[in-house]
Structures are given as structure tokens and as C-alpha cells.
Amino acid sequence: MYTYTDFDEAFVRSRVAQFRAQVERRIDGSLTEDEFKPLRLMNGLYLQLHAYMLRVAIPYGTISARQMRQLAFIADTWDKGYGHFTTRQNIQYNWPALKDVPDMLEALADVQMHAIQTSGNTIRNVTSDHFAGAAGDEEADPRPYAELLRQWSTDHPEFQFLPRKFKIAVTGAEADRAVIRSHDIGLQLVEKEGQLGFKVIIGGGLGRTPMIGKVVRDFLPEADLLPYCEAIVHVYNTLGRRDNKYKARIKITVHENGIDTMRELIEARFKEIRPEFTGVDQELLAGIKAQFATPPLRKGDVAAYEAAYQMDPVFRAWADTNLTAHRDADHAIVTISIKAHGKTPGDATSDQMRLMADLAEEYAHGELRISHEQNVILPHVHKGDLPAIHAALKAAGLGTANIGLASDIIACPGMDYCALATARSIPIAQEIATRVDELKIEHEVGELKIKISGCINACGHHHVGHIGILGLDRAGVENYQVTLGGDHTETAAIGTRMGPGFSAEEIVPAIERLMLAYLDLRDAPQETFLQTFRRLGDAPFKAALYPESEARNAA
Amino acid sequence: MPKPFTPKIVTANALIEGDVIYLTNNGEWSRRHEDARLFNDEEAANAALAAAALQAGEIVGAYLADAAQGTKGPQPTHFRERFRATGPSNYAHGKQVEL
């Protein structure tokens, strides 16, 4: 894992000191709220419905056991004993008091973490594949590049006042687990004639006008990464619209100017600035790469795993859903579900955080990951240790076997916390998960991505859910729109809106009807919900959603 | 045609804690919605909001919210204000347990 240099350390500490002074000046009245707001946002501090909210970056989703313990300490000391993991690999604290935030930032700095650029019109936390460095299918570990991008983008003088926020995701595999096609820049490591480089995608985004990103460069040599990204953001910074907040993201810039014009401008700027990158960045990268070396994987007996798999049906169900193939056959990638049925998706208590940190330390080389799907991952686990890990997780309410299934729901905080929300998301997620657990159908239904957003900004990725749910305010009542057929992976697609929305009471039965309809409609148990939808189209699913209008039409 | 004026309260968040607060009859801030002063007159509501906005040392983000007279005092009419007056639905946190 990456360890801060003296430069990183000094930078983060000086930002904490600056913010401490800014908070003091706000409290003593020397700064107005208008003056203070951009300063607090630069440090990840929002004001929400009930309280302030501090958003802390977990760069490319990688976190050490020590850092996880510190997150638990912060939750206990200055918040209400829990944290919320988000779809952008951040953790949010929902109840800090303004006066305590500098101390929270100091505590983060103590473990080489920060909240810098987790808000505002800047380049945000660079995200990545949560299986990076462990998955069998990747060209190379994307995280060193993500770290290089983090260093380049942090306090970048040209990019502190972009037209709008800017999000970059990097993956090392063709199988896209980082939603790169919904990012402002999506990067995929690829190999061409023995050389490592990137497929570069720009202009993806969800929100009010969802767009799938477009390829701007099929192959970018590894060494050109920073100048090329700098050229992209430069062109966006120049052309991006500042007249209309809803047209300010690069997806609109690409849409309005066309990908070919964007490519020409980016390539021209790239030519201009390429000579300024003299190779210092590549020396840095080499140093960073060394820090992401795979930990020494032990050899040894996996008999304990095989015995538990044969004997214990609870373990077997968990192993079948929550384990992913590691590139070493004796190891596995463990996904810990932060989606127990009926609980808030992505919320972990401080006790759970400490337990996960302990398990990481004891069994997984001290490393954890946070996924955009709001779960926690132990990336390198010897299979012989899996029964012990499962037992410990189960005892702490973290043993839910539902990864990739109907109750593994992405949900934004919605109107339970967020000042921008138009409806609640969390209770809908809780009720759907509770219902599928009552029906005991999710293992039969199989792979199903349900994603819920509480407003059009789409933090809950509803457009790319197999089933997407969008909460709106319709004449003073919460109303939920359903989209189907979305896909966040390498076959990315924006879901199709089905029809009139549902009330808070109607939405869960409507989702249940969709699942039951799918079980009737599928060709074979192997055909997933998404495949069935793609084969049959809207009609049979609409009929399930709106049985009354179906009955009317038949009459 | 401008929309007819509906009764309003002045609400904001407390500067230090971030708590939801309401402007009362005597010009102070209360954590309880039912303590809020209900303005039936648009001009008076706007004047109170303008005055509140000057209290930057105590409050953040003052605005006018719709409310209706209830038995114990003003009650929220929109669900967003109802959530602000109680707290989140997923935990017993906030006003629903603190007041």
C-alpha cells in the first residue's frame, strides 16, 4: 500500500492547520457563510438536512487495517458510532459538529487520510476496481496509476475551479468493476504489442442527462497518462459551460462539440504540453508501483475450506456468493456484505469496522477495500482461513451471503440525510431487502443489481441498475420511477424508464412483481434478469409492473 | 399569476451543531418546529428572513418553509420539512430522540 512521502504529509498537515484557522474565523464571525462555504467544501464538509456531513476520501478504495480502526475511532469520538461507505469509495460521517471537524481531519492525517477535494468543482477522489491487484483477469494493477493521478490532481493549480466536479476511474481489467463508462474520464489498462497503455474514455456520467462515455483514444502509452489527462481536463476547463449548472459536466461538452472535435482539441493540447513532462512523473510512478507489490502469498493446505464447504450449508452459501477467484488458486477475494437484510446499505458500525480491521490484520495482509457497491473487501485471503473469517463475520452481523443478489442494493443517503434529495432511498432499500429475505427468493433470482437514487443526481447509480429506482417529489408526495435494463459494466447501458412512478407503499410490491415475472420469463436458470430483459424487451416487464393497465387493455 | 401566499416559518441550521432550528415568536431560535412563529403575511415573512440572514454568527442557510397551524403549534406540510423536524428514518437519531 502507498505510504505518504514527506511532501504528502506536510501538505495534508498544512491543509488541516489552514482549515482549523478558517473554522475559528467562521465561528468568531470574521468569515461570513458565503466566504466560508467554498473553504469547507474544499475540505469535504457539507451541510445536510440534520447536521454537517464530512466526506472522507478512500483513494481507489484501498485502506489499511490501521486506517479502518481510525475511521472507527473517529465515528465513536465525534460522530454517532458509524460511517456510511459511498458509491465513490468515500466514507461519510453524518453528525459532526463544526468545531470538531479540524480535530477529525487531524485524526485522519495521523493515518495518512484526508477529505481534500471530496467536494467542489475539482477533480474528485480517483476510484478504481475494488479487486485490483488480486483479480485474475487484469492486465496490471490500476492503483499505482490512480495514486499518480491523485497526486497530480491534488491542488492542481489549473483545475481548482472547473466548470463542475470531475471524476476519474481506473481499471486494469476488461471486466469493468469500476463503472468507468459513467465517469468524466474512464481509463482501462490494456496491452498492445507487448506495451502497457490505456484505453481512454471520456464524457460518461449519470445525473440529469445520463451518458455512456466515448472512447477518445484506443491506446495511450502508459508514460503519456498525465499529459493526456491534463490535456483532457484543460480542454474541458476551456470549453465546458459555466452558464448552466446542468450543462456543465464534460458529458455535455462532449455531446455538444462531438467526440471528434474533442479528440482534435485534446490531441493538439497534448502535443503542446507533452514535452513539459520530462519523466519525473515516471520516476514517481516507478516508486509508487513498488509500494503496490502483491503481498507474499503463503502456500498451504486448503483442506479446512473444502471441509467447511462440504459440511456447512451456511458457509457454502456464503462462499458461493461472497467469494471471487483470486489470481492465486489457493487464495480468494472475500467480499464482506455491508447489506444485511433490513439494514442501511453501506453503513458499518465502529465495532464492525474494528472487526474487519482485525480480520484484515490477522488473515489478509492488513489490507481492505471499499467497493463502489458499498461493500468491504479482503483482497488476499488464503482459502484455509475462510471458515474462521466467516465465523467471525457471522457473529458480528457481517456474514450475509448476498453479494450480487437482489438485496445487495446500492442506495444513496436520500432524503434521510441529503439536502439535495427529493425522496428517501434508504427505507426503500431496507424494505426490498427485507421482503426478498421473507420470500427467500434471491438465490433463485440470481444476479440482480438494484440501484436506488433519491434524486436526479444519481449518486445511487439508478440509470445503470438492472432495476433502477429514482425517488422524486410529485406534488408533495414521494414517488418512485422504475428503469430497467441498465448495466454498469463493460457492456454499459442506460436503463429504460418504464412508465408512471409508484408511491412509497407501492414500490416494493412492484419490484417483487418484476422478480417473479423474471422467474416465469427466463429461458433457463442460467439466464440472468438482464439477459432476459435484453431478449424480451420492455413489454412483459411493463405488464408485470402495471397489471391494471394490462387488464384494461385486454378488456 | 403569482402563487397565493401560504403560511410560512423561518428555518435554518445552527452554525456549530448543524441542528435544524426555527425562528420563534420572540425572535429566538428553537429546535422544535411547534415553537416556530407562523407568518401569515408575505411581507412580514420576508422581513423576518432578511433579519435572520444577518445572524451569521449563529445560523446557516435560513429560508422560508411552508407550515400549517396545528394543535400544539405550527406543523410541517411537506415531507422534507417533516423529516427535518424529526430526523432520519433508518436510525433513532436526531430530534426524534433528542427533544
Side-chain angles (χ1 to χ4, degrees):
Chain A
M1 289 182 57
Y2 182 73
T3 309
Y4 276 10
T5 60
D6 292 346
F7 177 87
D8 295 320
E9 173 78 21
F11 176 76
V12 170
R13 294 285 180 191
S14 75
R15 278 291 286 267
V16 174
Q18 281 170 14
F19 191 59
R20 188 180 292 283
Q22 289 157 357
V23 168
E24 278 165 17
R25 294 207 296 283
R26 175 69 182 95
I27 291 175
D28 75 16
S30 333
L31 288 175
T32 65
E33 185 58 21
D34 285 348
E35 289 162 337
F36 179 65
K37 189 176 174 185
L39 301 173
R40 70 168 156 81
L41 290 178
M42 281 167 69
N43 293 287
L45 186 64
Y46 287 74
L47 182 64
Q48 301 242 61
L49 282 188
H50 312 293
Y52 288 95
M53 179 272 280
L54 182 66
R55 179 182 292 157
V56 176
I58 299 171
Y60 35 89
T62 294
I63 182 173
S64 69
R66 176 167 170 253
Q67 290 171 324
M68 184 68 108
R69 275 197 199 100
Q70 189 78 339
L71 295 180
F73 170 77
I74 289 169
D76 282 340
T77 309
W78 295 289
D79 208 272
K80 292 189 188 293
Y82 74 101
H84 175 75
F85 293 112
T86 78
T87 52
R88 290 215 76 259
Q89 297 178 321
N90 298 303
I91 183 169
Q92 295 183 171
Y93 293 105
N94 284 321
W95 302 93
L98 177 60
K99 63 179 172 44
D100 294 333
V101 174
D103 290 340
M104 296 169 82
L105 296 178
E106 195 82 59
L108 289 168
D110 288 345
V111 293
Q112 309 198 334
M113 293 183 79
H114 62 74
I116 296 166
Q117 289 181 210
T118 59
S119 176
N121 295 334
T122 56
I123 299 175
R124 301 286 188 89
N125 186 30
V126 179
T127 55
S128 186
D129 181 357
H130 42 274
F131 295 160
D137 60 353
E138 69 184 14
E139 289 295 339
D141 190 338
R143 292 172 302 156
Y145 306 95
E147 172 58 28
L148 186 68
L149 287 164
R150 185 191 73 83
Q151 296 189 15
W152 159 81
S153 62
T154 300
D155 216 25
H156 192 300
E158 190 182 343
F159 303 141
Q160 291 304 298
F161 294 95
L162 294 171
R164 200 75 180 83
K165 58 188 165 185
F166 201 90
K167 302 174 180 177
I168 303 176
V170 198
T171 181
E174 172 63 21
D176 182 4
R177 293 175 288 259
V179 209
I180 64 170
R181 285 157 187 81
S182 297
H183 278 76
D184 297 286
I185 297 179
L187 298 163
Q188 180 192 340
L189 276 161
V190 288
E191 201 200 77
K192 192 180 164 192
E193 291 157 8
Q195 231 208 331
L196 202 56
F198 295 93
K199 177 152 88 179
V200 184
I201 295 167
I202 63 169
L206 301 175
R208 184 173 297 253
T209 318
M211 301 266 189
I212 301 295
K214 297 183 173 71
V215 176
V216 66
R217 187 66 111 83
D218 274 318
F219 185 82
L220 179 76
E222 184 190 7
D224 291 341
L225 177 64
L226 288 191
Y228 199 81
C229 285
E230 188 152 308
I232 294 170
V233 188
H234 174 86
V235 169
Y236 164 62
N237 201 16
T238 312
L239 278 188
R241 288 180 57 173
R242 288 175 156 85
D243 62 319
N244 182 340
K245 189 178 165 184
Y246 301 116
K247 297 191 171 175
R249 295 290 291 270
I250 193 176
K251 62 188 175 186
I252 306 293
T253 321
V254 172
H255 182 70
E256 289 184 347
N257 295 276
I259 187 72
D260 295 328
T261 303
M262 290 296 284
R263 185 180 296 116
E264 275 168 37
L265 293 167
I266 290 164
E267 294 289 344
R269 177 67 182 173
F270 172 65
K271 271 210 187 81
E272 221 170 86
I273 61 174
R274 182 66 187 87
E276 294 168 18
F277 288 76
T278 54
V280 177
D281 59 324
Q282 294 306 296
E283 286 166 30
L284 265 174
L285 178 64
I288 294 168
K289 276 184 180 172
Q291 301 193 52
F292 285 95
T294 310
L297 301 178
R298 86 167 194 260
K299 291 285 155 206
D301 190 358
V302 299
Y305 163 71
E306 280 158 5
Y309 193 86
Q310 292 306 321
M311 303 294 292
D312 178 356
V314 178
F315 176 79
R316 184 160 61 241
W318 177 79
D320 286 343
T321 50
N322 293 38
L323 300 184
T324 306
H326 192 278
R327 63 166 184 254
D328 179 86
D330 288 347
H331 283 72
I333 303 171
V334 173
T335 300
I336 303 171
S337 172
I338 313 296
K339 313 281 181 68
H341 299 105
K343 300 285 190 195
T344 304
D347 277 13
T349 65
S350 55
D351 284 341
Q352 291 176 329
M353 290 184 215
R354 275 185 288 268
L355 175 86
M356 292 188 282
D358 290 347
L359 291 176
E361 209 143 68
E362 192 169 350
Y363 299 112
H365 307 273
E367 190 179 327
L368 305 108
R369 307 289 176 76
I370 309 303
S371 73
H372 82 270
E373 290 175 317
Q374 302 177 286
N375 291 308
V376 177
I377 285 97
L378 301 174
H380 310 286
V381 176
H382 191 272
K383 284 183 178 170
D385 296 329
L386 288 168
I389 289 176
H390 177 248
L393 289 172
K394 208 168 61 171
L398 290 168
T400 314
N402 65 346
I403 297 303
L405 304 181
S407 62
D408 184 10
I409 299 169
I410 288 184
C412 72
M415 206 186 269
D416 285 306
Y417 298 91
C418 179
L420 301 174
T422 44
R424 290 175 297 176
S425 311
I426 291 169
I428 304 301
Q430 290 174 306
E431 287 167 29
I432 292 173
T434 302
R435 184 64 185 148
V436 300
D437 194 37
E438 283 164 3
L439 295 171
K440 299 284 174 221
I441 57 167
E442 64 180 328
H443 289 271
E444 197 187 344
V445 169
E447 187 189 330
L448 180 60
K449 306 278 185 186
I450 302 177
K451 302 179 196 270
I452 310 176
S453 304
C455 82
I456 193 70
N457 294 311
C459 294
H461 294 191
H462 65 277
H463 296 112
V464 292
H466 302 168
I467 298 177
I469 301 173
L470 166 62
L472 295 169
D473 173 354
R474 284 279 179 263
V477 180
E478 288 170 293
N479 186 272
Y480 295 90
Q481 271 182 8
V482 174
T483 54
L484 294 182
D487 177 358
H488 77 275
T489 70
E490 64 279 9
T491 47
I494 303 295
T496 313
R497 207 182 115 196
M498 286 298 107
F502 296 87
S503 71
E505 293 73 35
E506 294 165 342
I507 184 66
V508 180
I511 301 305
E512 180 178 331
R513 290 198 297 279
L514 281 176
M515 287 189 280
L516 296 175
Y518 153 69
L519 289 177
D520 284 342
L521 292 164
R522 68 184 178 187
D523 254 354
Q526 294 76 30
E527 190 182 60
T528 64
F529 182 94
L530 185 60
Q531 287 164 341
T532 304
F533 179 81
R534 283 180 173 168
R535 178 169 58 83
L536 296 174
D538 305 0
F541 292 95
K542 268 191 185 162
L545 276 174
Y546 306 104
E548 286 141 29
S549 70
E550 188 68 8
R552 256 201 316 280
N553 290 343
Chain B
M1 271 252 301
K3 277 205 300 198
F5 181 78
T6 48
K8 300 273 192 298
I9 56 158
V10 180
T11 180
N13 291 77
L15 174 66
I16 307 285
E17 298 85 4
D19 278 11
V20 176
I21 50 177
Y22 304 97
L23 188 67
T24 65
N25 278 318
N26 57 14
E28 290 174 350
W29 294 95
S30 167
R31 257 71 179 164
R32 293 173 192 275
H33 194 288
E34 60 265 30
D35 293 344
R37 174 173 173 193
L38 192 64
F39 292 91
N40 290 300
D41 172 75
E42 187 166 10
E43 242 174 76
N46 286 332
L49 178 64
L54 296 176
Q55 303 180 34
E58 268 186 76
I59 67 151
V60 186
Y63 64 94
L64 297 175
D66 281 321
Q69 191 60 49
T71 48
K72 290 184 195 160
Q75 298 297 316
T77 55
H78 189 276
F79 61 89
R80 185 178 195 270
E81 292 306 320
R82 210 165 61 238
F83 300 151
R84 286 181 81 238
T86 46
S89 49
N90 61 331
Y91 299 116
H93 287 160
K95 292 185 189 301
Q96 57 201 328
V97 289
E98 284 163 10
L99 293 183

